[in-house]
């Protein structure tokens, strides 16, 4: 049986941005409702050890950290709904009573005076079964998150754009050797980044190479090598010994039903006014990786979640709504 929910703040997405917005909104008496989406906890649920989130002297597990955020959000008064928003006609604006109308996959209706979109972004993967097998055991999509674990080791970065080159350059601060594997014979990255790449003695380029398989061994099994195929002569293969693999072929913002409702950039990321979480529609806010394609860190996502909640509270005050 479907239900209609009313709230001063509807938060869509259960990652660091969404949970932080919920915590601040609940403490402000806004009785927030958080719709979790398909992957409660976001990308951190597939992150093994986290060493760069403030407050923990020792590494913590990603799923555990998200569980703590969930419990904190619920403890201060957030209502969690395990559903997926499928319709969000935000362009229509709020109704006469000041509510935006959204619909869940379950058929539930959500009426909210403000909406925080925190649905995140998903890393693009190669699509190999072995890639899934070794996620968290040598395969990553975030050098800033996991590069520290490869101090003095050999790693590979897959890709040829700005992201790949930036990841490779960053990894040189930790790894002994960084292999950049690209399926073409030239990079798409900006020229200044290419120059830095070519000037770095720690980086080795592998042109016209495609990852055929990620190889691992041991108990528990971890990455030990890549099987590469020559894109010009696919029958020719070689094995490259590495301890870690960083897939850097881009991210896809999980904009879903919001993409055609709000101003987005060419890649689909929601545009927010600089220094804020405000979008092109008053009362609608965006936080986390859905609007951040530069930093993509749990701590920066949490920060924008806080910003969104504070700005939503200010918006309600300006509209003369009392939480």
């Amino acid at each position: 049986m479907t239900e209609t929910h009313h709230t001063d703040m509807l938060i869509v997405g259960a990652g660091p941005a969404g949970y932080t917005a919920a915590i601040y909104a609940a403490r402000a008496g806004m009785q927030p409702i958080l719709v979790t989406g398909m992957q409660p906890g976001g990308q951190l649920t597939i992150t093994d050890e986290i060493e760069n989130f403030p407050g923990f002297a020792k590494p913590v597990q990603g799923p555990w950290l998200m569980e703590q955020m969930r419990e904190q959000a619920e403890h201060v008064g957030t209502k969690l709904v395990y559903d997926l928003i499928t319709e969000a006609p935000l362009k229509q604006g709020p109704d006469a009573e000041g509510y935006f109308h959204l619909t869940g996959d379950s058929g539930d209706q959500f009426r909210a005076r403000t909406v925080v979109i925190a649905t995140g972004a998903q890393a693009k993967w190669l699509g190999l079964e072995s890639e899934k097998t070794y996620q968290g055991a040598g395969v990553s999509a975030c050098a800033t998150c996991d590069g520290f674990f490869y101090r003095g080791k050999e790693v590979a970065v897959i890709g040829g754009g700005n992201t790949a080159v930036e990841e490779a350059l960053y990894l040189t601060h930790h790894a002994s050797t960084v292999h950049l594997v690209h399926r073409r014979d030239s990079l798409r990255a900006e020229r200044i980044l290419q120059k830095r790449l070519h000037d770095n003695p720690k980086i080795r380029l592998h042109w016209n190479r495609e990852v055929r398989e990620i190889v691992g061994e041991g108990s528990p099994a971890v990455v030990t090598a890549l099987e590469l195929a020559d894109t010009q002569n696919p029958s020719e293969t070689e094995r490259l010994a590495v301890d870690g693999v960083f897939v850097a072929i881009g991210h896809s913002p999980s904009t879903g039903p919001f993409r055609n409702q709000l101003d987005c950039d060419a890649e689909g990321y929601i545009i927010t006014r600089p220094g804020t979480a405000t979008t092109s529609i008053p009362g609608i806010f965006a936080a986390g990786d859905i609007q951040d394609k530069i930093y993509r860190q749990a701590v920066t996502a949490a920060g924008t979640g806080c910003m969104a909640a504070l700005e939503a509270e200010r918006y309600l005050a300006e509209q003369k709504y009392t939480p």
Side-chain angles (χ1 to χ4, degrees), residues 125-128 130 156-159 180-185 205-214 225-240 245 249:
W125 297 98
L126 301 171
L128 301 172
S130 55
V157 175
I158 316 301
L180 184 67
V181 179
H182 186 38
R183 64 193 319 275
R184 298 183 177 86
D185 60 3
L205 293 164
H206 300 262
W207 301 114
N208 299 312
R209 294 294 184 270
E210 188 173 55
V211 179
R212 183 73 58 81
E213 199 67 64
I214 298 172
L226 287 178
E227 184 179 306
L228 303 178
D230 188 323
T231 56
Q232 297 181 328
N233 299 289
S235 60
E236 294 185 13
T237 62
E238 63 180 293
R239 183 162 289 200
L240 177 65
V245 181
I249 57 176

Side-chain angles (χ1 to χ4, degrees), residues 14 28-29 43 52 63 68 85 91 119-120 143 160 181 185 188 206 208 218 222 225 228 258 278 304 306 312 314 322:
Q43 294 188 71
N52 57 3
Q68 293 298 300
I85 297 298
K91 280 186 177 179
T119 45
V181 179
D185 60 3
R188 302 185 309 278
H206 300 262
N208 299 312
V222 294
L228 303 178
F258 306 106
T278 60
T304 55
C306 165
R314 190 176 303 120
T322 302

Side-chain angles (χ1 to χ4, degrees), residues 237-257:
T237 62
E238 63 180 293
R239 183 162 289 200
L240 177 65
V242 293
D243 300 292
V245 181
F246 292 84
V247 180
I249 57 176
H251 287 72
S252 297
S254 303
T255 322

Side-chain angles (χ1 to χ4, degrees), residues 4-7 95 97 99-101 109-113:
T4 299
H5 308 267
H6 294 77
T7 180
D95 62 18
E97 295 180 317
Y99 288 101
F100 292 94
H101 292 243
Q109 301 295 307
F110 296 88
R111 301 184 69 201
R113 294 196 190 280

Side-chain angles (χ1 to χ4, degrees), residues 147 150-157 167-180 195-206 242:
Y150 296 93
R151 288 171 294 173
K153 298 183 178 182
E154 292 199 30
V155 299
V157 175
E167 298 269 275
L169 289 168
Y170 174 82
L171 286 165
T172 60
H173 298 301
H174 300 290
S176 59
T177 304
V178 179
H179 300 273
L180 184 67
K195 185 178 186 308
R196 292 173 188 166
L197 185 86
H198 290 298
D199 290 345
N200 196 306
K202 281 190 172 185
I203 297 175
R204 297 180 184 175
L205 293 164
H206 300 262
V242 293

Side-chain angles (χ1 to χ4, degrees), residues 117 270-281 284-288 290-292 300 303-312 314:
I117 303 167
I270 295 175
I271 297 172
T272 52
R273 187 159 52 85
T276 77
T278 60
T279 70
S280 55
I281 298 179
I284 308 298
F285 306 89
I290 194 66
Q291 53 84 233
D292 170 26
T300 52
T304 55
C306 165
M307 291 163 58
L310 295 177
E311 289 168 14
R314 190 176 303 120

Side-chain angles (χ1 to χ4, degrees), residues 2-162:
T2 60
E3 186 178 349
T4 299
H5 308 267
H6 294 77
T7 180
D8 285 330
M9 179 188 287
L10 181 71
I11 301 156
V12 187
Y19 282 135
T20 304
I23 291 164
Y24 274 79
R27 295 184 73 251
M30 298 168 71
Q31 298 182 322
I33 293 175
L34 188 151
V35 179
T36 62
M38 294 289 288
Q39 188 182 18
Q43 294 188 71
L44 288 190
T45 58
I46 58 171
T47 303
D48 188 15
E49 291 190 340
I50 299 172
E51 286 192 324
N52 57 3
F53 198 88
F56 302 97
K58 296 181 179 180
V60 297
Q61 300 293 307
W64 177 86
L65 179 60
M66 298 318 301
E67 182 67 15
Q68 293 298 300
M69 289 190 187
R70 180 191 64 79
E71 291 184 12
Q72 184 179 6
E74 289 188 302
H75 175 73
V76 293
T78 302
K79 177 182 177 181
L80 262 65
V81 177
Y82 292 89
D83 202 348
L84 175 71
I85 297 298
T86 55
E87 295 180 29
L90 304 178
K91 280 186 177 179
Q92 296 178 8
D95 62 18
E97 295 180 317
Y99 288 101
F100 292 94
H101 292 243
L102 297 88
T103 304
D105 185 60
S106 65
D108 279 13
Q109 301 295 307
F110 296 88
R111 301 184 69 201
R113 294 196 190 280
T114 63
V115 179
V116 174
I117 303 167
T119 45
Q122 297 294 322
K124 294 179 182 177
W125 297 98
L126 301 171
L128 301 172
E129 193 61 36
S130 55
E131 182 181 50
K132 297 178 183 177
T133 301
Y134 295 108
Q135 280 186 19
V139 173
S140 172
C142 180
T144 312
C145 308
D146 300 325
F148 182 77
F149 299 113
Y150 296 93
R151 288 171 294 173
K153 298 183 178 182
E154 292 199 30
V155 299
V157 175
I158 316 301
N162 283 351

